[in-house]
Amino acid sequence: MRKNYVKLPLLIAALYFGGDLHAQSTQDTVTKENKIEEVVVIGYGTQKKVDLTSAITTVKAADIVKTPSGQATQALQGKVAGVQIIANGSPGEAPKMNIRGVHSINGNNQPLYVVDGLFVDNIEFLNPNDIQDFTILKDASASAIYGVLAANGVVVITTKGGSYNRKPKLTYDTYYGTQYANNVIKMANAEQYTNFALESGSQFEIDAIGAAIARFGRSRTNPNLPNVNTDWYKEALRIAPIQSHSLSVDGGSEKVAYSLGGNFFTQDGILNMKNSYERFNIRAKIDAKATSWLNVGTTINYTRGEKYDDEGSAWQQIYYAVPIMPVYDPLFTDATVKPYADAQVLGYRGHDNPFSLMDNVDKLGIQKSLNFNAYAEISILPKELTFKTTLSYNNRNISERLMELPYYVNSFGNGFQRTLAQSSITRNNATYEDYIWDNTITWNKTLGDHDFTLLAGTSYADQSYKFMSMKGFFYEGSPFSRDNESTWYINNASPDGRITSEGQPYRYYRTSYFGRLSYKFKDRYIAYATLRNEGSNKFPNQKTINLPAFGLGWVVSEESFLKDVSWINLLKFRAGWGRLANDAINANRANTPFAVNTVFADTYVSAFQFTTYKDDVRREFTEETNVGLSSEFLGRRLTLEADYFIKDTKSMVIPVQPIVGSEVSYKNVGTMRNKGFEISAGWRDKVGENWGYSINGNFSQIKNEITDLNGQAFIARGSGDFPQRLVVGQAMDSFYGYDVIGVYQNQAEINADPTAVYANTNQGAGTVKPGYFKYRDLNGDGKIDDSDRMYLGSPVPTYYYGGSLGVNYKNWDLSVAFYGQGGNKILNRNRAEVIRTTGRNIDADFAINRWHGEGTTNEYVSSEGYRQSWNNQKLSKFWLQDGDFFRVQNIQLGYTLKANDIPEMRFTLTADRPFMWTKSKNLMNPEVANDGVNLDVYPTPSVVSVGYSIKF
């Protein structure tokens, strides 16, 4: 049985999504003279919270461990204003994080993670229980000091450490839970599908129903139906376990503080195949007072993760598989490994049985990470002048073994099989390695009412990547056996057909110089400025760049005219500006020649042809202005944070059409803007001696807009059948298609519409019939063509929000958190794939609400219309779904047992993501990638878990 994870005892408030609103403990009375001493992490140092001029939010450990997940980032969802986290349900898959929008169309949009001074691009190696807090640096004035790695924001993570002069404390945390799919799409059952097929008017569809009856028999309840009614989602999904076990010990002597820990985490996927994730990690964090003037320390983390990946294309097959076919067909008596039913036998074009894919692949990936960070800090002048040197090393090795295993079912048509010669093994090995050596000197000085902090530093980084891939196919007589895993090696594949690749290895160096000046006058006027000069070998035509930033703050509550206002504890206005640079984009492509052969005047001629593109790629720049308010009222029981920002991506890399030729070049000539506001609020209080409660919430509104494409009318994105565009004045990757204004109800309505008459006259009689879509004739020319397309919305959300409610009584506590987003569009690619082929299932919403006679609907086409090009070969509003959703993110009931004679224990019962409401009835998971396409999206499961922790 499973158990739970750590959860700090008294936690009056549940999940905060106001961020660090919970930093101060609840007090019945707090005087104005009490200063806020909370310290937060900033670039290469710390700062008192009251002195911040930037948009920075901190989330504490107690909020992180509520979410049963192997990925700590997922616990942030809904807790921080301005931060969108896109979760993925595949075991071991890291969520994606967008801080204040998407800033690049070709580069990386993920933030920099700084873990105890170690710079990484993901935190898959971290045990969530080891994290003390997250600090999110959201605006450029806070992030710019980190250089090019911070283009998309920074997440600073502090892990738990020991304490000097404290006896050892041993903590064990565990949880066990079950995962299940929520909001499962309801597909058409056998009766709905049969009715839909018979109404189609397609003899092909009608014959398939007859073939299913002939092969599987007639239903006893309705002889017009086949005796099969397969719910493919029910067959393909499963209840899956998830569990975690953590053991840590921390403490310290007079000279040494230490924290040691280990974690074992396992998670099975909800897709019913070999799909799981297992991770083991150990961590050590040691700080020591070597002398009165020297402190040293180190953090070491080793992680080994083993992941069996899902077969991504299975999600399409599950959606497409017809309900009139079973999973297995007993008539295939010669089948191996299993007698998978075959849709081709019924007359369909494809085999469309997801289990043949799911059962006959084995996608094993092993990732090993070693992270090391060591520092030495010298106090040159006590409490005034300090020098610190830090060396970080990060090594991540990913080894993959991807198997496509043989199977055989039948010999009908092309057969339903993967022969031995078609079966393959692929071996991939990737190694990421980087070193960073930072040196800083910090001077703190107080002169009367003036407080100064000056920091200067240098940084050197060495980053490399190597990749090797080999693929081989098996052959008759090979020692390979699908039943013997010890034979699954490249050496057992045919030597003649092996394919090798080294990918695109690289090695980049960066040398940086940076500084920061902080100034405060009378605890009320604050100024802050940073400058970083960074050089790199990645872009030879732009060797160095300068990244300035500054901030201003005014603590109004310290002014004499507010000093005596007892209900105002903090009122601060702040503003900042900063410049960021993104070098996580592809450098210039080399103009490489390739051989061409031809015959000229009866003579064989060999020559070379050169590519015609000419890239001129440099770093992208983002400039951001932020103004904000930080406040606390009524004895710090009420907190309020608000920010408004404008974030301009300049020198954005975009494709540029050539003057001559057809090959597109890439240049830094585009611009994009993200602007919006964020607000976070929280209230916490006590009622008597035993009761406490808290309410927290945040809301973010953001507008994304393409502002310049170097004179180009648009840049095509998406795919040919499902076009998206970049165009000035629209949000990124806006869908471009036709506006559906209804469904033709009768022939008279068709005869009265010039566009329908034109189509039936010029494109063939019957092009438009009752039950077909009616499109908006935008230009009024009496016909529907490309010029009638319009922008139908963008995949970029325009708002997101989160919140929590918490209550505690004595040793009991209950918390509820929620999260939501909206304003975006999602392309339901599964539904729209009828463009490519017929004979696939449809969702129940479509099957039930289809047009099947005058007046039945003005939204859905008929079964016949669904399969006709007038309706399904145009990207229209019909295929797009609203991305709005609201989800109860987490509910947790906890009890903390404290007594003098026994160790402290905590028990929790947690429901994670138990409920979600969406506008779209046929999207299992509205959290999709930045392109807004829902196709192979692994649904994020709901989890019910019990947990336990004990401290000795």
Side-chain angles (χ1 to χ4, degrees):
M1 264 203 46
R2 156 199 200 160
K3 305 167 187 171
N4 174 294
Y5 43 92
V6 106
K7 176 107 186 39
L8 295 186
L10 223 222
L11 147 48
I12 304 179
L15 292 78
Y16 290 104
F17 62 74
D20 55 342
L21 304 176
H22 56 293
Q24 299 295 320
S25 59
T26 305
Q27 300 179 7
D28 292 329
T29 57
V30 181
T31 64
K32 280 290 290 283
E33 285 69 30
N34 290 134
K35 302 296 183 184
I36 301 175
E37 295 300 331
E38 183 190 3
V39 173
V40 298
V41 179
I42 60 174
Y44 299 98
T46 60
Q47 194 170 25
K48 290 181 181 179
K49 179 183 174 185
V50 72
D51 295 338
L52 295 177
T53 63
S54 304
I56 298 177
T57 300
T58 299
V59 180
K60 300 294 186 180
D63 290 334
I64 299 166
V65 297
K66 286 185 176 182
T67 300
S69 170
Q71 303 294 332
T73 312
Q74 190 164 314
L76 295 178
Q77 196 169 45
K79 294 181 174 66
V80 183
V83 176
Q84 179 199 17
I85 294 177
I86 303 170
N88 187 303
S90 181
E93 194 73 19
K96 301 296 183 184
M97 180 187 295
N98 295 325
I99 298 178
R100 292 185 167 179
V102 178
H103 319 114
S104 175
I105 67 168
N106 288 300
N108 180 29
N109 280 285
Q110 296 306 293
L112 166 69
Y113 294 92
V114 182
V115 183
D116 292 330
L118 178 73
F119 289 44
V120 292
D121 59 4
N122 71 75
I123 53 172
E124 296 174 357
F125 62 90
L126 268 184
N127 170 20
N129 277 329
D130 288 338
I131 297 175
Q132 177 177 299
D133 56 51
F134 282 94
T135 299
I136 297 93
L137 312 183
K138 295 188 288 186
D139 70 343
S141 67
S143 304
I145 196 169
Y146 280 116
V148 296
L149 298 179
N152 303 302
V154 181
V155 179
V156 181
I157 298 172
T158 303
T159 62
K160 296 174 182 177
S163 300
Y164 293 105
N165 298 309
R166 194 179 74 183
K167 292 181 179 180
K169 180 180 70 175
L170 181 67
T171 304
Y172 171 67
D173 300 285
T174 182
Y175 64 79
Y176 179 89
T178 55
Q179 308 165 92
Y180 60 93
N182 208 341
N183 279 53
V184 179
I185 303 173
K186 292 187 180 299
M187 301 300 294
N189 60 28
E191 181 175 3
Q192 293 165 340
Y193 179 80
T194 298
N195 291 337
F196 201 85
L198 295 178
E199 288 180 12
S200 69
S202 166
Q203 194 60 46
F204 160 80
E205 298 281 0
I206 297 170
D207 291 345
I209 302 297
I213 293 175
R215 190 168 185 87
F216 306 120
R218 295 182 182 273
S219 168
R220 294 181 180 180
T221 58
N222 185 344
N224 295 318
L225 305 178
N227 192 31
V228 180
N229 188 15
T230 304
D231 183 335
W232 289 93
Y233 276 106
K234 183 177 180 180
E235 297 289 341
L237 295 170
R238 65 186 178 189
I239 302 295
I242 181 174
Q243 63 178 313
S244 175
H245 302 271
S246 296
L247 183 66
S248 65
V249 58
D250 58 81
S253 64
E254 184 180 352
K255 295 291 186 179
V256 178
Y258 61 87
S259 178
L260 310 173
N263 170 256
F264 178 70
F265 172 83
T266 65
Q267 179 185 13
D268 285 355
I270 58 173
L271 186 61
N272 192 12
M273 62 173 293
K274 197 171 185 179
N275 178 212
S276 62
Y277 177 64
E278 180 178 291
R279 185 190 63 210
F280 169 76
N281 82 310
I282 54 176
R283 182 184 67 96
K285 187 175 185 179
I286 300 172
D287 297 283
K289 299 176 181 178
T291 68
S292 61
W293 51 269
L294 175 63
N295 294 334
V296 296
T298 185
T299 301
I300 302 174
N301 196 316
Y302 173 77
T303 304
R304 184 187 188 277
E306 184 174 289
K307 179 180 181 181
Y308 285 94
D309 209 352
D310 63 289
E311 173 57 45
S313 60
W315 294 107
Q316 295 179 57
Q317 294 288 334
I318 296 167
Y319 188 97
Y320 299 150
V322 293
I324 59 172
M325 180 180 76
V327 177
Y328 304 109
D329 187 340
L331 298 179
F332 293 138
T333 55
D334 295 331
T336 62
V337 179
K338 296 178 182 179
Y340 304 107
D342 182 2
Q344 276 195 350
V345 173
L346 305 182
Y348 296 110
R349 296 181 185 176
H351 304 293
D352 291 338
N353 188 328
F355 283 90
S356 63
L357 296 173
M358 294 157 57
D359 293 346
N360 296 290
V361 295
D362 188 292
K363 298 184 174 184
L364 172 62
I366 296 176
Q367 176 172 303
K368 299 176 183 178
S369 298
L370 176 63
N371 313 109
F372 169 82
N373 176 274
Y375 75 89
E377 187 175 58
I378 300 172
S379 177
I380 302 172
L381 296 175
K383 297 183 180 180
E384 188 170 325
L385 187 62
T386 304
F387 172 77
K388 185 175 184 179
T389 183
T390 305
L391 177 64
S392 300
Y393 172 73
N394 178 35
N395 182 290
R396 181 160 54 109
N397 179 268
I398 302 173
S399 177
E400 294 180 323
R401 183 203 64 197
L402 312 178
M403 301 294 300
E404 293 187 331
L405 302 170
Y407 64 93
Y408 171 77
V409 179
N410 74 83
S411 58
F412 181 85
N414 296 324
F416 189 16
Q417 60 183 314
R418 183 186 289 134
T419 66
L420 188 62
Q422 294 169 331
S423 302
S424 65
I425 177 173
T426 302
R427 290 277 187 176
N428 298 327
N429 189 275
T431 300
Y432 300 82
E433 189 173 35
D434 57 74
Y435 305 81
I436 297 179
W437 183 29
D438 293 329
N439 294 278
T440 60
I441 188 165
T442 306
W443 178 57
N444 295 289
K445 189 67 175 179
T446 299
L447 300 172
D449 293 329
H450 306 273
D451 294 313
F452 297 90
T453 298
L454 178 64
L455 176 142
T458 65
S459 180
Y460 174 77
D462 180 346
Q463 182 181 21
S464 63
Y465 164 74
K466 294 182 290 185
F467 178 82
M468 178 63 73
S469 177
M470 178 176 287
K471 181 174 183 177
F473 293 88
F474 299 109
Y475 59 95
E476 293 295 339
S478 167
F480 164 79
S481 170
R482 66 161 292 147
D483 300 321
N484 185 356
E485 196 167 332
S486 66
T487 67
W488 295 3
Y489 289 97
I490 287 284
N491 286 343
N492 291 334
S494 172
D496 298 333
R498 294 179 188 175
I499 304 169
T500 61
S501 171
E502 283 192 287
Q504 294 181 328
Y506 59 76
R507 188 169 188 178
Y508 299 134
Y509 306 95
R510 290 193 310 276
T511 302
S512 308
Y513 305 92
F514 54 89
R516 175 173 60 229
L517 173 63
S518 300
Y519 169 73
K520 182 171 63 172
F521 177 64
K522 289 187 175 182
D523 288 334
R524 67 188 71 159
Y525 308 115
I526 304 166
Y528 170 99
T530 68
L531 178 65
R532 183 170 179 128
N533 175 273
E534 192 147 52
S536 168
N537 68 331
K538 185 172 183 179
F539 299 99
N541 53 353
Q542 188 188 45
K543 293 183 178 180
T544 62
I545 55 171
N546 291 313
L547 302 175
F550 65 85
L552 298 172
W554 178 27
V555 186
V556 186
S557 52
E558 291 294 322
E559 297 287 357
S560 58
F561 56 84
L562 286 181
K563 272 281 190 180
D564 297 328
V565 182
S566 60
W567 58 273
I568 300 179
N569 301 101
L570 173 67
L571 180 61
K572 180 179 65 174
F573 295 102
R574 46 188 170 74
W577 176 91
R579 190 182 196 218
L580 301 169
N582 183 12
D583 74 346
I585 51 180
N586 293 327
N588 295 325
R589 297 169 294 174
N591 292 89
T592 53
F594 54 93
V596 292
N597 301 309
T598 187
V599 176
F600 182 75
D602 294 328
T603 302
Y604 181 81
V605 178
S606 296
F608 288 94
Q609 180 176 330
F610 287 82
T611 51
T612 59
Y613 57 75
K614 185 174 179 58
D615 295 344
D616 184 13
V617 175
R618 307 182 182 198
R619 297 173 182 88
E620 297 178 334
F621 289 99
T622 299
E623 295 180 0
E624 181 176 12
T625 301
N626 187 93
V627 294
L629 164 73
S630 299
S631 57
E632 297 184 353
F633 307 100
L634 302 173
R636 298 192 181 122
R637 289 171 292 182
L638 175 63
T639 58
L640 176 67
E641 298 265 347
D643 286 274
Y644 175 79
F645 65 91
I646 298 176
K647 197 168 189 176
D648 290 316
T649 301
K650 301 182 177 181
S651 302
M652 185 170 67
V653 176
I654 61 173
V656 177
Q657 295 294 333
I659 298 176
V660 178
S662 60
E663 293 182 293
V664 170
S665 301
Y666 287 87
K667 300 181 184 296
N668 297 81
V669 291
T671 64
M672 178 165 57
R673 167 170 286 190
N674 289 280
K675 68 177 180 178
F677 68 87
E678 306 157 359
I679 185 168
S680 302
W683 172 268
R684 56 169 44 217
D685 200 2
K686 295 180 70 175
V687 181
E689 291 297 320
N690 297 323
W691 286 93
Y693 67 95
S694 67
I695 304 171
N696 295 280
N698 68 68
F699 179 84
S700 306
Q701 184 273 336
I702 188 168
K703 180 182 179 183
N704 174 272
E705 183 182 1
I706 302 295
T707 50
D708 189 5
L709 294 175
N710 193 42
Q712 298 178 95
F714 65 89
I715 294 176
R717 303 266 284 178
S719 66
D721 294 324
F722 306 102
Q724 295 173 259
R725 284 185 173 183
L726 302 177
V727 63
V728 173
Q730 293 289 331
M732 174 178 170
D733 286 340
S734 290
F735 295 103
Y736 189 64
Y738 298 87
D739 185 20
V740 175
I741 57 176
V743 174
Y744 293 106
Q745 300 296 322
N746 50 51
Q747 189 61 44
E749 190 175 343
I750 292 173
N751 295 339
D753 185 351
T755 63
V757 172
Y758 179 90
N760 285 332
T761 302
N762 294 277
Q763 298 172 24
T767 298
V768 181
K769 295 181 180 180
Y772 287 20
F773 283 138
K774 182 189 296 185
Y775 298 105
R776 185 182 303 278
D777 182 11
L778 282 182
N779 60 4
D781 63 357
K783 61 182 178 179
I784 300 299
D785 56 20
D786 286 351
S787 60
D788 294 305
R789 291 181 294 176
M790 60 183 292
Y791 293 99
L792 302 172
S794 167
V796 180
T798 59
Y799 66 89
Y800 30 91
Y801 57 91
S804 67
L805 307 172
V807 62
N808 67 283
Y809 172 72
K810 293 185 176 180
N811 293 345
W812 291 90
D813 58 87
L814 174 68
S815 64
V816 180
F818 58 89
Y819 171 66
Q821 69 178 42
N824 59 309
K825 293 294 183 181
I826 298 173
L827 172 62
N828 189 341
R829 182 79 176 263
N830 283 324
R831 177 186 269 188
E833 277 293 310
V834 70
I835 289 176
R836 305 193 186 284
T837 185
T838 58
R840 291 174 170 176
N841 201 7
I842 68 271
D843 56 82
D845 175 58
F846 198 154
I848 294 169
N849 295 297
R850 73 196 186 283
W851 187 93
H852 52 281
E854 186 173 346
T856 53
T857 181
N858 200 37
E859 181 180 356
Y860 295 81
V861 293
S862 64
S863 174
E864 178 184 358
Y866 179 58
R867 291 162 170 81
Q868 302 304 315
S869 60
W870 174 263
N871 305 285
N872 67 27
Q873 291 189 15
K874 297 179 177 70
L875 175 62
S876 70
K877 188 168 62 175
F878 178 77
W879 307 111
L880 301 176
Q881 320 278 193
D882 290 324
D884 304 52
F885 71 87
F886 168 84
R887 180 167 56 220
V888 176
Q889 192 78 357
N890 184 278
I891 303 174
Q892 185 175 91
L893 176 65
Y895 177 76
T896 304
L897 177 61
K898 292 183 178 181
N900 292 332
D901 300 329
I902 61 173
E904 179 182 323
M905 290 181 281
R906 179 165 173 79
F907 306 86
T908 57
L909 175 63
T910 304
D912 199 64
R913 303 168 181 262
F915 172 78
M916 181 174 66
W917 174 88
T918 75
K919 280 189 175 182
S920 302
K921 301 175 184 177
N922 39 50
L923 291 178
M924 190 184 305
N925 186 1
E927 295 185 77
V928 298
N930 292 330
D931 63 0
V933 178
N934 187 291
L935 183 61
D936 295 322
V937 179
Y938 199 122
T940 304
S942 300
V943 185
V944 177
S945 63
V946 293
Y948 170 72
S949 70
I950 183 170
K951 298 178 181 180
F952 297 93

